[in-house]
Amino acid sequence: RRVHGENLMQANNERRLSSNSSDESSSATSVVGDPVDSLVRRTQSLSFSHISQHVRLFSNTVKSRMSSFKPTQADLDEMAWECVTMVSLSGFLLKLGHQRKSWKRRWFVVKNEFLSYSLKPGDQPIGLVKLNCQLRHHFNEPDHVIHLEFSDGRELSLDAVTSEKATEWIATLTEAISWAKRQNNRNRHYSNMMRSQSSIQFNTMSSSPSSCPSPPALPPLPDLFDFEEEMAAEAERLSKLDKISLLDLVKRLTLPSGATASFAKQFLSTYHLFTDGFQLLEMLKERYLIEPDEEWPEPKKGRFLSLVQFPIRLRVYNTLRMWFELYPKRFDSQLISETLKFLEDETDARLIRASTGLLQGLKTKLLGFSVTEEVDLFPTVDVQPNTSILSFTDSQIASHMMHVEHALFRKIIPNELVGTKTTSHKAIISQFEKTSCWVGMLILTESNPKQRLLLVSRMIAIAEQSLRLKNFNGVKEIVSALRDHPVQRLKKTFEDLPRDKSLALKNLSEIVADEAGFSAMRAALRREQPPCLPFVGMYLTQLSHANDILDTVVDGLINFKKCESIANILQEISSYQQTAFKADSIDQTLLHLLTHLPEPTSFEERCKLSNILEPKQRQP
């Protein structure tokens, strides 16, 4: 238009110079035909005010044409739905490269029908795709691998790492793909309607802009119903409560924005302190069945279903999955049946994929296929008579002690250490008592002073080897035996102890001392990498103190700060159970001897043996 107008202007100038007649009187004539061409032809001969009139005339002409498009009520409802519905999610995923088939960590953002990714949050996107695609899952891959197949043959492969995270991303991507399809259909629909209006021609208009009809008033835009602010305020309110009701705890657990993984684990590991599984399941059911108000307008209902109901239902599924995967022993047959009934009766069509794995796991456990028999960790073997533990080297003894005790430590079920009558920690406590008593009895039953001195020196050496293996439980066993009153009172034996062994015993005693809540041992543990074996009694003392000092329920409200402190202790125990200790080689004979130590003797019996070795000196 601009080039054509310049050519016309140049031609007009030439005609005006060659002609003696003036064309200014023609400026008041009406404009007929295309307003743009008419405006260009008259540019040189019109004054500024006349040009402004023609610009307004052209603008009103366009408005008049647009006003002839009158959408139906269904079109307005569809536009309102698109205005108030939002699909959004962001987080780190692994992306498979197209050329180099390697997985790389990228920050992905879903916004309506678009998926973008960048190196980290806040960076400029390095990739953007419109989700005109299909969601696929290959049967021979883990549940957390997602494939997006596009019509042009491209495929985008993503890995969410965990099943819970994959469930959330699959649900959001499904909504975004549906959004893209609705957008495409709506665009085609309106494009067809606009083409049907193209037959309307511009009518002959006068030069007066006021004669153009004004467009009809558009219907008011629907209220956006900002649920985000309400949800953010609710999340902030719940996070600040120290004493909280069970209903508010379940709300915080299933917030649409999502609870933190640490809070979910804290809640699930300690809920048995203030409720039971059946009540918790009923609260989750009630939360799942949340519905919009019947009196709300349709756009508000649609926004509620998309932004509130669907995320809450997804959180309920993730909570049930985490509950079952982390604590399967808390599900008896009756609780499993109730959970299955709820999942089968109330499954949301948008969450069928998310519920499939959970349903299968619950059914398998209900049928008894998931019940495993107890396996003897240390089977009995034939041992030659008169075989002694001391016939092995110090490093062998320390290594096998770590192997036995760490295996028993990993059998502990942390969340059962408080509020239940669990026996999973009894085995390692029994092993601790037997080992400590065995060390003490070796010394107290040795009548030869020189041999007794060598035994004490060797026990200190085994304790040093245990410290190198990060077996703080084993160090505590030996130090406790040497600091036991019947052994410690043998002054003649300890006076003859070499200086290096005396300093080593002092250093070991300081590390495992119980002063200030085992602060020295905690500091030493923080400096080490797993596998480590902490002293179990340290955690049992902490749990007993945390559980007894404060009430769990006060005036009908739950003291969740107490639950958090207990959960943190249980989480620390669990963290040291993840990595198993692997000895260089296992001698079955030594393993049998360490796991079949004699039962501990009484304190009185040990005192008698000590008095025989070094009788009490009578006061003059």
Side-chain angles (χ1 to χ4, degrees):
R1 286 290 186 181
R2 187 179 69 249
V3 174
H4 179 57
E6 290 175 354
N7 294 334
L8 290 175
M9 289 166 59
Q10 184 177 1
N12 286 335
N13 287 333
E14 293 176 355
R15 285 197 302 269
R16 186 165 57 85
L17 292 174
S18 63
S19 176
N20 294 326
S21 61
S22 176
D23 295 334
E24 292 187 4
S25 61
S26 62
S27 61
T29 61
S30 61
V31 180
V32 182
D34 189 348
V36 178
D37 290 337
S38 176
L39 182 63
V40 172
R41 287 196 302 269
R42 298 176 179 272
T43 301
Q44 294 298 322
S45 59
L46 295 178
S47 64
F48 179 78
S49 61
H50 289 159
I51 293 175
S52 299
Q53 288 181 355
H54 282 281
V55 170
R56 288 195 297 271
L57 173 63
F58 178 67
S59 176
N60 290 334
T61 302
V62 175
K63 290 180 180 179
S64 177
R65 182 182 178 185
M66 292 303 295
S67 66
S68 64
F69 168 63
K70 297 180 180 179
T72 64
Q73 185 60 41
D75 297 327
L76 292 175
D77 292 342
E78 178 68 18
M79 286 188 289
W81 172 265
E82 297 294 347
C83 287
V84 300
T85 306
M86 297 292 290
V87 181
S88 64
L89 182 65
S90 59
F92 280 107
L93 297 174
L94 298 179
K95 174 183 173 294
L96 183 63
H98 292 289
Q99 296 180 352
R100 297 180 179 179
K101 297 300 181 180
S102 60
W103 295 93
K104 294 184 179 179
R105 192 168 182 256
R106 295 289 183 263
W107 177 260
F108 281 83
V109 177
V110 176
K111 195 68 174 179
N112 294 346
E113 71 268 34
F114 293 100
L115 175 67
S116 63
Y117 61 91
S118 56
L119 295 178
K120 59 183 179 179
D123 285 1
Q124 288 294 327
I126 58 177
L128 175 68
V129 293
K130 188 173 183 179
L131 292 172
N132 294 326
C133 61
Q134 292 182 341
L135 198 62
R136 291 283 185 264
H137 174 70
H138 299 168
F139 70 93
N140 59 342
E141 291 182 340
D143 291 340
H144 47 76
V145 178
I146 308 167
H147 299 278
L148 299 176
E149 296 181 359
F150 295 85
S151 57
D152 58 359
R154 292 177 299 144
E155 181 176 309
L156 181 61
S157 300
L158 307 174
D159 189 348
V161 181
T162 64
S163 299
E164 293 83 2
K165 192 175 178 181
T167 301
E168 184 177 8
W169 274 95
I170 289 171
T172 303
L173 288 171
T174 303
E175 286 291 310
I177 292 171
S178 300
W179 173 287
K181 290 180 180 177
R182 290 198 304 269
Q183 287 286 78
N184 293 338
N185 293 336
R186 189 167 69 88
N187 292 339
R188 284 195 296 268
H189 172 64
Y190 291 132
S191 177
N192 293 335
M193 293 188 67
M194 291 298 293
R195 278 196 296 269
S196 68
Q197 299 288 335
S198 63
S199 60
I200 301 176
Q201 302 294 330
F202 283 101
N203 297 321
T204 302
M205 298 171 293
S206 66
S207 60
S208 175
S210 60
S211 63
C212 296
S214 60
L218 294 175
L221 290 175
D223 185 8
L224 293 183
F225 312 116
D226 194 2
F227 289 107
E228 288 92 340
E229 291 187 3
E230 297 179 12
M231 293 186 294
E234 179 72 359
E236 184 178 2
R237 180 187 73 85
L238 294 174
S239 64
K240 292 180 178 180
L241 294 177
D242 293 337
K243 294 181 174 59
I244 186 171
S245 65
L246 179 58
L247 177 61
D248 283 341
L249 276 176
V250 174
K251 285 182 179 180
R252 183 179 173 187
L253 188 66
T254 57
L255 283 170
S257 57
T260 60
S262 60
F263 173 77
K265 290 180 179 179
Q266 288 171 354
F267 177 87
L268 292 174
S269 63
T270 58
Y271 76 87
H272 61 283
L273 298 177
F274 47 82
T275 187
D276 56 35
F278 293 99
Q279 186 179 6
L280 176 57
L281 180 61
E282 289 300 321
M283 301 292 284
L284 290 173
K285 286 182 186 179
E286 182 179 347
R287 185 69 167 157
Y288 181 90
L289 298 175
I290 186 172
E291 295 288 346
D293 195 327
E294 291 295 334
E295 298 180 356
W296 287 351
E298 289 302 321
K300 184 173 183 179
K301 287 183 181 179
R303 189 167 175 81
F304 180 88
L305 293 174
S306 176
L307 292 183
V308 180
Q309 186 196 70
F310 176 71
I312 286 177
R313 291 186 169 185
L314 185 61
R315 308 304 174 201
V316 171
Y317 270 113
N318 288 340
T319 300
L320 288 172
R321 179 186 294 276
M322 183 183 292
W323 185 12
F324 179 70
E325 290 180 352
L326 294 180
Y327 310 108
K329 291 188 177 181
R330 293 188 178 180
F331 282 80
D332 56 18
S333 58
Q334 186 177 357
L335 184 57
I336 291 175
S337 300
E338 291 290 332
T339 309
L340 283 174
K341 185 176 184 301
F342 162 64
L343 293 175
E344 291 171 348
D345 294 346
E346 302 293 344
T347 298
D348 192 320
R350 298 169 293 182
L351 294 169
I352 293 178
R353 182 184 177 91
S355 63
T356 302
L358 180 58
L359 281 169
Q360 184 177 0
L362 289 168
K363 289 178 179 178
T364 302
K365 183 173 176 62
L366 185 62
L367 293 173
F369 296 137
S370 62
V371 178
T372 56
E373 297 182 358
E374 285 290 332
V375 179
D376 189 1
L377 293 175
F378 315 112
T380 304
V381 296
D382 294 332
V383 179
Q384 295 294 330
N386 300 325
T387 304
S388 172
I389 296 176
L390 297 178
S391 61
F392 296 88
T393 64
D394 297 344
S395 60
Q396 284 180 312
I397 296 173
S399 177
H400 283 66
M401 284 175 60
M402 177 66 167
H403 177 78
V404 171
E405 293 167 9
H406 201 273
L408 296 176
F409 176 72
R410 296 188 74 199
K411 289 189 67 177
I412 296 176
I413 303 173
N415 64 287
E416 295 181 357
L417 293 176
V418 180
T420 61
K421 297 180 180 180
T422 181
T423 59
S424 60
H425 64 290
K426 300 293 185 183
I428 191 169
I429 292 177
S430 176
Q431 182 67 22
F432 181 96
E433 293 174 348
K434 289 180 179 180
T435 304
S436 185
C437 186
W438 167 75
V439 172
M441 290 299 293
L442 280 177
I443 298 170
L444 293 174
T445 55
E446 180 57 60
S447 58
N448 189 326
K450 292 184 178 180
Q451 291 296 323
R452 188 162 61 248
L453 182 62
L454 291 175
L455 281 174
V456 172
S457 298
R458 190 167 183 189
M459 290 301 110
I460 296 174
I462 294 173
E464 289 180 300
Q465 290 287 342
S466 297
L467 184 62
R468 294 190 185 97
L469 295 174
K470 296 172 282 190
N471 181 7
F472 294 89
N473 193 72
V475 175
K476 184 68 173 177
E477 286 171 345
I478 296 175
V479 170
S480 297
L482 297 178
R483 294 304 189 193
D484 189 30
H485 176 71
V487 177
Q488 192 176 18
R489 65 175 296 276
L490 301 177
K491 295 183 180 181
K492 294 181 180 179
T493 302
F494 284 95
E495 286 175 356
D496 295 336
L497 199 63
R499 178 176 176 80
D500 60 332
K501 295 300 179 183
S502 296
L503 293 175
L505 179 58
K506 181 181 179 181
N507 179 51
L508 294 170
S509 301
E510 290 175 352
I511 292 175
V512 297
D514 56 1
E515 282 81 6
F518 297 92
S519 58
M521 186 187 298
R522 290 183 176 282
L525 279 167
R526 285 193 292 269
R527 293 192 296 266
E528 303 293 350
Q529 295 293 327
C532 300
L533 180 56
F535 173 48
V536 180
M538 173 179 66
Y539 295 118
L540 296 178
T541 302
Q542 277 186 294
L543 290 172
S544 177
H545 178 75
N547 192 38
D548 295 340
I549 194 172
L550 295 172
D551 294 329
T552 306
V553 180
V554 180
D555 297 330
L557 297 177
I558 299 165
N559 182 9
F560 199 71
K561 288 295 182 182
K562 168 186 174 179
C563 298
E564 286 179 353
S565 62
I566 292 176
N568 291 335
I569 299 171
L570 300 179
Q571 181 61 31
E572 186 175 344
I573 297 174
S574 179
S575 65
Y576 289 116
Q577 293 178 317
Q578 304 305 313
T579 307
F581 173 77
K582 296 181 180 180
D584 295 334
S585 61
I586 299 296
D587 189 292
Q588 295 298 327
T589 300
L590 179 56
L591 196 65
H592 174 83
L593 292 173
L594 288 173
T595 54
H596 292 79
L597 293 171
E599 293 295 325
T601 56
S602 64
F603 178 76
E604 290 77 10
E605 183 67 24
R606 297 198 300 276
C607 287
K608 290 179 181 180
L609 294 173
S610 178
N611 289 329
I612 293 173
L613 295 177
E614 291 188 16
K616 292 183 179 180
Q617 295 181 358
R618 295 183 178 181
Q619 296 293 334

